[in-house]
Amino acid sequence: MTPVILLVAFCAVMSAVAVGRLAVDESRDYVDIGSTLVVVGITVLAVFWVTLAESLLIATGRALLGFAGACVVVVGVGVIVRYWDRTRESTASSE
């Protein structure tokens, strides 16, 4: 078992925790959704790294996996950046 596979296992557990917290939390906001997307995207990129190290997929499959992971991370960061100030405003107005 390579260390990269251990990284994927760790990322998968963190993704499960992030998605679980998002599903259970009733006061979630867009920053929480963006953070979850980033964690899931990093997990997909870690799986991509394993496919590179172990030669598990054909080149097209690896490219699609890497592209999908990068897109999910970019969308997650975009959501975080877009709604960062709104989260602080809504928290300040509720106090």
Side-chain angles (χ1 to χ4, degrees), residues 26-37:
E26 292 181 12
S27 63
R28 62 184 164 263
D29 57 2
Y30 286 110
V31 174
D32 296 334
I33 294 169
S35 299
T36 301
L37 286 172

Side-chain angles (χ1 to χ4, degrees), residues 13-80:
V13 169
M14 291 298 106
S15 290
V17 168
V19 170
R21 286 191 63 195
L22 189 66
V24 171
D25 191 17
E26 292 181 12
S27 63
R28 62 184 164 263
D29 57 2
Y30 286 110
V31 174
D32 296 334
I33 294 169
S35 299
T36 301
L37 286 172
V38 169
V39 172
V40 169
I42 290 171
T43 302
V44 173
L45 288 174
V47 171
F48 167 68
W49 189 8
V50 167
T51 62
L52 284 177
E54 302 293 331
S55 300
L56 295 175
L57 294 175
I58 61 173
T60 306
R62 281 185 237 150
L64 288 174
L65 193 61
F67 182 73
C71 286
V72 172
V73 170
V74 168
V75 168
V77 170
V79 169
I80 292 170

